Amino acid sequence: MALVSMDLRRRHNATVLASATEGDLLEFPRKLFSHWAVYIGGGQVVHLTGENDGISDGLGNPGTCFSVSGSNMDKAMVQIDNFWDVVKTSKVNKNNEKDARHRPFTRREIVKRALSKVGKVGYNAIWSNCEHFASWCRNGVKMSEQVEDAVSKAGIVGFLGIGAAILIGIAVSKSGRRNQTQ
């Protein structure tokens, strides 16, 4: 069964690769996050990554969860890699959805922008991750929907937690007042 699944995934990835054109953004969903790259043609991608990028397990080193794909921030850099070396066993999707809100550069300009950053070191999970890099190359805007989603969810959870604490506090306070009047 696992071999069939791997074969289907590999065929899917080959189809995505065959349909990709220079400047397309490729999203590699992992267990906890998605990795992003810019397709530059010839089976090559440019992406912000690290030495131990967590590609094979989707987690990297849990001790560096606020690092680039499991690698220390100071070791993260923009580099060119073979598509198949990046995809490994994950499933890839072409994702140019940000084009609906932000006009993309020409394919030639997208590739030029990506290549201009090769060798640059730097990473921040909130402000400068692989999705920020890819969207900057294509759309000129550093944005990461997975960060926006995480911040939004954290805000909702935090709001609910504060609300629950307030309600518990009110209930305890009323209960204490009732006990004092009796």
Side-chain angles (χ1 to χ4, degrees):
M1 185 69 164
L3 287 175
V4 172
S5 176
M6 288 296 292
D7 185 52
L8 289 174
R9 187 176 304 140
R10 183 155 179 86
R11 279 190 274 165
H12 166 83
N13 292 344
T15 301
V16 172
L17 177 59
S19 72
T21 56
E22 291 84 356
D24 280 336
L25 300 189
L26 300 178
E27 181 181 9
F28 305 87
R30 309 291 194 219
K31 292 176 185 170
L32 299 177
F33 60 89
S34 286
H35 184 64
W36 290 75
V38 178
Y39 184 68
I40 61 169
Q44 302 289 305
V45 299
V46 176
H47 60 136
L48 177 60
T49 188
E51 289 175 359
N52 170 22
D53 63 6
I55 287 172
S56 61
D57 63 8
L59 296 173
N61 177 349
T64 57
C65 64
F66 291 105
S67 63
V68 61
S69 303
S71 182
N72 293 329
M73 293 180 194
D74 62 345
K75 294 183 180 179
M77 71 168 31
V78 177
Q79 64 188 47
I80 301 171
D81 280 313
N82 179 280
F83 169 86
W84 292 107
D85 291 341
V86 177
V87 75
K88 299 262 188 205
T89 61
S90 59
K91 186 176 181 180
V92 65
N93 297 303
K94 187 166 50 170
N95 187 340
N96 297 322
E97 292 177 7
K98 292 176 184 74
D99 293 358
R101 290 182 284 154
H102 303 281
R103 188 167 163 235
F105 291 103
T106 64
R107 295 193 176 282
R108 184 176 179 180
E109 184 63 22
I110 295 164
V111 170
K112 181 179 175 184
R113 290 169 68 86
L115 293 173
S116 76
K117 298 297 184 183
V118 171
K120 300 287 184 194
V121 176
Y123 177 85
N124 177 289
I126 305 296
W127 309 113
S128 186
N129 64 38
C130 56
E131 186 179 2
H132 287 108
F133 167 74
S135 68
W136 174 83
C137 292
R138 184 169 176 88
N139 305 100
V141 178
K142 284 187 169 186
M143 64 182 299
S144 174
E145 290 176 0
Q146 54 193 340
V147 168
E148 292 170 11
D149 289 347
V151 168
S152 175
K153 287 175 186 169
I156 290 169
V157 169
F159 179 75
L160 292 175
I162 291 170
I166 290 170
L167 291 175
I168 290 169
I170 291 170
V172 168
S173 175
K174 285 182 179 181
S175 173
R177 277 191 243 138
R178 270 191 240 129
N179 289 339
Q180 287 177 353
T181 58
Q182 292 177 352

